[in-house]
Amino acid sequence: MVIFLIGVVRITAKADEKKIIRIETDNISLIYGTNKDGRLYQTYLGQRLHHDSDAVHLPLMGEACLTHGMEDYFEPAVRILHNDGNPSLLLKYVSHEIRQLQPDVNETVIRLRDDVYPVEVQLCYVSYVKENIIKAYTEISHREKKAVTLYRYDSSLLHVMGEKYYLTEFSGDWAREVNMTEQPLAFGKKILDTKLGSRANMFCSPFFLLSLDKVAEENSGEILFGTIAWTGNFHFTFEINQQNQLRILSGINPYASEYSLAPDEIFRTPEFIFTYSTEGKGKASRDFHRWARKYQLKDGEKPRLTLLNNWETTAFNFNEEKLATIMDEAVKLGVDMFLLDDGWFGNKHPRNSDKQGLGDWEVTTAKLPNGIEKLVQEASKREIKFGLWIEPEMVNPRSELYEQHKDWVIRFPNRKEYYFRNQMVLDLSNPKVQDFVFGIVDNLMRKYPDIAYFKWDCNSPITNIYSPYLKDKQSHLYIEHVRGLYNILERVKQKYPDVPMMLCSGGGGRSDYKALSYFTEFWPSDNTDAVERIFIQWGYGHFFPSKTLAAHVTSWGKQPVKFRTDVAMMGKLGFDIRMNEMNLKEQEYCRNAVKNFKRLEYVIGEGDMYRLISPYRSNHAAVMYVSENKKTSVLFAFDIHPRYGERIYPLRLEGLNPNKIYKIKEINLLPDTKSILACNEQTYSGEYLMKVGLTVFSSAHTVSKIIEISQNDIE
Ligand code: DGJ
């Protein structure tokens, strides 16, 4: 039976009628079908199948939403305890609806219901046709008399069938984020998860790559890219059964988080976002980048602000005079903004170190007697913008906030407190605390409407996990805390839609796509050593477009200024360095680099990215960005630590038009130096550049080159 609503196709079940539900993009099909038992099965995930009639031949891969207590002996996606003590759930197909949300964006909602208990599960999918991205999330609700308990509530369950499976994870620690490690999966389970609460991604990022049959390659092979849009505890569980079938379960980490769901309340999971490429990793990344810019990121299609930050050069030790000098340097550099970091607030407990003051968001008068106002004015006098660091979700026990509002802090009432970076986490499950945190931004903006940017930090995981507000619902804390954070961020976005913000969490402790719907960029790592950054930006670049990766030139690494700046230019360029540490030529070089970045931002920030040479597989690295019309491209080539006598091979480019002629020009050269590249100022066809390539690497250490490749008007 088919019922047409306005703009919606609704299909409901009729006994014995087999339903086929196709969730599709230009290149992917995810297909479900009902069976005689009335239950819903995944029948396909892979390269797009174009002939509708074929779908009936597809074998059943596994139930679409596996539950606990029935016939399956592996990990379920939903586990529920009814209030009569019965732990079973069996879901049958009821109906599904397909609607177009906007051109090339479709939503499919499949309703499943238990025959015995009044429990309903909706499997929801949003497909982005051109970008080949699918979002999956689940809604669970019931009409039992009393609350039921959810023990498992995954966003997505995907069945994958291959001969072999290779999983790439992105894990690490502070200052060594997103190390990529690939491993084959065998029978049993591999779990990637976090229990950190806030700063959730400090050890493990919320994304993975799953390559089928062979290790992941850039330009060939079937590969699934998945990520969870949740700024808290998540899990990805990969389980291979006795028949070598893989299931991937993704969702909130249910650890210590059983959830009591009231009748008629809807438990909506976060979105699991994935793509499936049959042309390797490169295509999957480009699809993710395009989708993110168009649909997910805050201000996804707008340019970003270049900036000079003061954290690496002053830490907490600054005054008005010093900041004014740094602002002068921002002007010399030609960046858009000066960003004042940590250390500007607190009076009873001035924030002169990370031991105190967090929570007391009044300017330290001893340090900045004329307040933020004066700094905003100084910036505006110099025609640059002013940005400000905040860490609004946290509190130092040595602060007035803690003295007055212990009840707002996540802490045990009866135990000695344990601190991470001398601080604690505010209880965002409490609406009053949400008001307080929103108020920090709101008060600052109301007092100083010219603040043009916030860097929003979050340095501590949740410690001492007890919410004074949630009382007997402690197991809701990890979830309600994140929901509370989203309430705050939503209010900020609604009231201050034009204020860009950087997501920071002691480096890359937060890097998920839900948070990035509120933030224009994120801080990938406190480690700004340029060699380390090549790896770090390489890792994040698998999922995030370069405009989201804040990359600052600092003095962490001892490489030449040019090398450090060229690496930062692959992301969203910024500086955190004193000009007076550089000689005049280096200063001029940096000014010029800022100009080049601004001129080419539409290619680096908006273009398609091609990873050409992996630092994981060689002593060099190369990435290029190509504008949408393929007229301009920017190539970044780095010699990291080549071996003595190593042979240098030509680098083949990608993404160009083979039939057009391109001119090669090395840019970002130090003043008074000339390019030593034989190809500089030469012209080549796109075909030559992609089939033969250019010699751009050398055997020297930490040498970088940026090459602009533009279509020649005179052909
Ligand atoms: C951690 C951040 O990652 C740094 O960039 C800096 O803002 C410090 N916090 C300030 O405390």
Side-chain angles (χ1 to χ4, degrees):
M1 191 194 322
V2 178
I3 305 168
F4 285 95
L5 304 179
I6 310 164
V8 182
V9 183
R10 173 177 292 168
I11 297 149
T12 49
K14 211 167 132 195
D16 290 344
E17 196 186 335
K18 201 170 172 192
K19 294 283 170 318
I20 289 167
I21 306 166
R22 310 171 67 109
I23 293 143
E24 278 166 337
T25 70
D26 276 349
N27 301 157
I28 310 172
S29 295
L30 169 63
I31 306 181
Y32 292 101
T34 53
N35 199 16
K36 283 193 207 86
D37 57 12
R39 289 150 74 173
L40 186 75
Y41 294 82
Q42 184 188 316
T43 55
Y44 184 79
L45 169 62
Q47 193 164 11
R48 170 98 186 237
L49 295 180
H50 290 95
H51 300 281
D52 282 3
S53 53
D54 286 341
V56 292
H57 305 305
L58 291 166
L60 306 184
M61 293 173 87
E63 207 165 343
C65 182
L66 280 160
T67 52
H68 164 76
M70 305 309 296
E71 300 133 36
D72 183 71
Y73 296 104
F74 295 88
E75 283 295 317
V78 175
R79 179 153 91 86
I80 195 167
L81 182 66
H82 303 284
N83 59 58
D84 64 358
N86 188 313
S88 66
L89 187 70
L90 191 144
L91 296 169
K92 292 202 172 157
Y93 169 88
V94 179
S95 66
H96 70 280
E97 276 183 20
I98 303 168
R99 78 173 82 205
Q100 192 181 58
L101 299 180
Q102 43 180 300
D104 291 322
V105 183
N106 301 319
E107 182 187 60
T108 304
V109 176
I110 309 172
R111 280 176 67 205
L112 308 174
R113 206 164 36 210
D114 193 332
D115 282 346
V116 178
Y117 287 91
V119 174
E120 190 167 300
V121 172
Q122 299 208 132
L123 305 179
C124 312
Y125 303 87
V126 180
S127 51
Y128 298 83
V129 177
K130 297 280 165 231
E131 294 77 18
N132 297 304
I133 295 288
I134 299 177
K135 278 182 172 179
Y137 64 94
T138 300
E139 288 185 351
I140 306 169
S141 59
H142 71 94
R143 292 205 158 162
E144 297 192 17
K145 288 203 179 72
K146 286 189 275 168
V148 303
T149 308
L150 300 181
Y151 286 93
R152 186 92 189 208
Y153 28 75
D154 279 328
S155 304
S156 154
L157 159 59
L158 290 176
H159 298 278
V160 181
M161 222 114 75
E163 280 180 32
K164 291 183 183 151
Y165 309 98
Y166 293 88
L167 173 70
T168 302
E169 66 183 64
F170 298 75
S171 53
D173 197 349
W174 175 78
R176 44 181 225 92
E177 291 85 348
V178 290
N179 293 289
M180 294 176 67
T181 337
E182 186 165 31
Q183 56 187 284
L185 296 176
F187 176 86
K189 267 189 292 187
K190 160 82 184 173
I191 298 175
L192 296 174
D193 73 356
T194 170
K195 301 181 176 77
L196 292 159
S198 50
R199 198 172 172 171
N201 311 143
M202 181 160 56
F203 306 138
C204 181
S205 295
F207 36 84
F208 66 85
L209 320 181
L210 194 273
S211 180
L212 286 178
D213 301 332
K214 57 174 193 164
V215 294
E217 295 291 345
E218 275 304 316
N219 292 323
S220 68
E222 300 200 22
I223 192 159
L224 189 143
F225 273 41
T227 181
I228 186 98
W230 183 246
T231 318
N233 292 352
F234 70 85
H235 84 103
F236 300 125
T237 300
F238 305 85
E239 187 171 34
I240 295 183
N241 69 12
Q242 78 287 8
Q243 290 170 335
N244 197 39
Q245 289 174 334
L246 169 67
R247 71 179 61 171
I248 305 174
L249 297 132
S250 311
I252 295 176
N253 189 349
Y255 169 79
S257 295
E258 57 273 16
Y259 195 92
S260 161
L261 187 71
D264 287 327
E265 184 187 339
I266 296 174
F267 186 94
R268 184 183 163 148
T269 70
E271 291 161 346
F272 172 67
I273 308 167
F274 68 98
T275 186
Y276 191 100
S277 161
T278 52
E279 294 166 46
K281 293 194 282 183
K283 161 97 167 58
S285 292
R286 287 187 289 281
D287 278 342
F288 250 99
H289 296 173
R290 285 178 178 210
W291 162 81
R293 286 191 296 257
K294 190 157 181 197
Y295 297 106
Q296 188 71 14
L297 296 173
K298 172 149 166 55
D299 299 340
E301 291 180 311
K302 291 190 186 159
R304 301 294 187 252
L305 295 167
T306 54
L307 58 83
L308 176 62
N309 186 200
N310 69 311
W311 175 248
E312 288 295 326
T313 56
T314 70
F316 300 95
N317 180 17
F318 55 80
N319 56 29
E320 274 173 8
E321 215 184 329
K322 204 187 238 179
L323 295 183
T325 319
I326 298 179
M327 286 191 214
D328 287 335
E329 296 184 358
V331 176
K332 272 202 202 158
L333 271 170
V335 292
D336 302 308
M337 180 168 64
F338 166 67
L339 169 62
L340 175 59
D341 215 285
D342 195 355
W344 58 268
F345 49 88
N347 283 300
K348 181 170 172 195
H349 305 285
R351 179 79 171 166
N352 291 328
S353 76
D354 62 15
K355 294 196 169 53
Q356 61 184 45
L358 209 51
D360 301 345
W361 298 101
E362 293 296 331
V363 72
T364 311
T365 42
K367 208 185 245 184
L368 300 170
N370 299 298
I372 294 291
E373 199 159 45
K374 169 79 174 159
L375 300 176
V376 177
Q377 276 165 11
E378 290 295 325
S380 122
K381 248 201 274 174
R382 291 167 175 79
E383 296 183 3
I384 54 172
K385 293 180 192 288
F386 178 82
L388 192 62
W389 178 96
I390 49 175
E391 191 176 2
E393 302 158 61
M394 302 281 161
V395 62
N396 280 131
R398 207 180 299 155
S399 69
E400 289 182 78
L401 177 67
Y402 182 88
E403 285 159 12
Q404 288 154 18
H405 273 297
K406 269 194 183 174
D407 56 325
W408 284 4
V409 182
I410 296 180
R411 59 186 286 280
F412 293 114
N414 55 353
R415 284 189 190 277
K416 191 170 175 283
E417 289 169 356
Y418 157 69
Y419 306 131
F420 191 101
R421 207 196 190 208
N422 314 303
Q423 65 193 61
M424 303 183 83
V425 182
L426 293 177
D427 182 1
L428 304 187
S429 71
N430 181 343
K432 281 200 186 126
V433 180
Q434 293 173 24
D435 289 344
F436 169 78
V437 175
F438 169 73
I440 295 166
V441 176
D442 196 34
N443 291 338
L444 284 165
M445 286 308 293
R446 280 196 289 169
K447 274 200 203 150
Y448 319 111
D450 288 335
I451 291 179
Y453 181 90
F454 285 105
K455 174 178 176 184
W456 181 305
D457 209 342
C458 161
N459 282 289
S460 178
I462 300 183
T463 53
N464 314 281
I465 181 82
Y466 183 89
S467 157
Y469 176 77
L470 287 173
K471 301 204 167 58
D472 64 341
K473 292 233 170 95
Q474 292 302 319
S475 65
H476 288 206
L477 179 52
Y478 283 124
I479 295 174
E480 296 305 343
H481 186 76
V482 180
R483 290 179 174 166
L485 173 67
Y486 294 153
N487 288 344
I488 299 162
L489 291 172
E490 195 57 46
R491 286 167 75 183
V492 171
K493 187 171 168 178
Q494 291 304 324
K495 189 151 181 196
Y496 303 105
D498 299 326
V499 180
M501 299 203 292
M502 181 206 287
L503 172 66
C504 175
S505 185
R510 279 179 170 171
S511 53
D512 70 274
Y513 265 120
K514 177 69 182 177
L516 283 170
S517 66
Y518 301 107
F519 292 87
T520 45
E521 59 231 47
F522 71 99
W523 185 233
S525 178
D526 277 347
N527 192 339
T528 42
D529 175 298
V531 168
E532 295 297 328
R533 271 294 179 129
I534 289 178
F535 286 86
I536 291 168
Q537 291 168 202
W538 181 271
Y540 282 116
H542 281 75
F543 282 84
F544 302 106
S546 76
K547 69 186 338 177
T548 60
L549 305 179
H552 296 178
V553 180
T554 74
S555 301
W556 261 61
K558 299 295 161 235
Q559 305 91 0
V561 169
K562 172 171 162 55
F563 187 86
R564 286 181 262 157
T565 310
D566 287 358
V567 171
M569 255 178 80
M570 277 197 296
K572 198 222 82 167
L573 180 65
F575 293 81
D576 197 342
I577 192 169
R578 292 305 303 268
M579 287 289 259
N580 56 18
E581 285 172 16
M582 297 188 235
N583 65 36
L584 289 176
K585 283 199 174 155
E586 288 169 337
Q587 292 184 20
E588 193 184 331
Y589 159 82
C590 286
R591 257 195 308 277
N592 195 31
V594 172
K595 281 193 195 139
N596 279 332
F597 181 76
K598 290 187 173 183
R599 185 170 61 80
L600 293 168
E601 196 183 351
Y602 77 99
V603 184
I604 300 167
E606 313 290 330
D608 277 335
M609 184 188 76
Y610 292 84
R611 286 181 293 263
L612 304 179
I613 297 289
S614 166
Y616 282 92
R617 290 189 182 177
S618 86
N619 300 320
H620 310 267
V623 172
M624 71 187 281
Y625 301 87
V626 182
S627 66
E628 206 180 340
N629 60 13
K630 297 187 183 290
K631 285 195 169 174
T632 311
S633 133
V634 185
L635 167 66
F636 293 81
F638 302 101
D639 302 308
I640 306 174
H641 294 302
R643 302 289 309 276
Y644 175 78
E646 182 183 306
R647 263 203 81 183
I648 302 299
Y649 297 95
L651 173 68
R652 289 190 190 141
L653 309 190
E654 290 177 35
L656 302 173
N657 184 334
N659 301 319
K660 293 284 176 186
I661 301 298
Y662 290 88
K663 180 152 189 195
I664 307 299
K665 186 171 170 51
E666 184 175 357
I667 59 168
N668 265 29
L669 289 161
L670 280 162
D672 307 327
T673 55
K674 286 209 172 96
S675 173
I676 53 162
L677 295 177
C679 59
N680 192 42
E681 303 287 351
Q682 303 294 316
T683 54
Y684 302 85
S685 71
E687 181 188 38
Y688 182 98
L689 294 171
M690 294 193 289
K691 288 189 178 162
V692 182
L694 298 176
T695 303
V696 292
F697 291 131
S698 78
S699 52
H701 284 201
T702 53
V703 168
S704 57
K705 294 181 188 88
I706 303 186
I707 296 163
E708 190 174 342
I709 300 159
S710 348
Q711 261 180 39
N712 216 354
D713 292 334
I714 320 145
E715 288 179 21

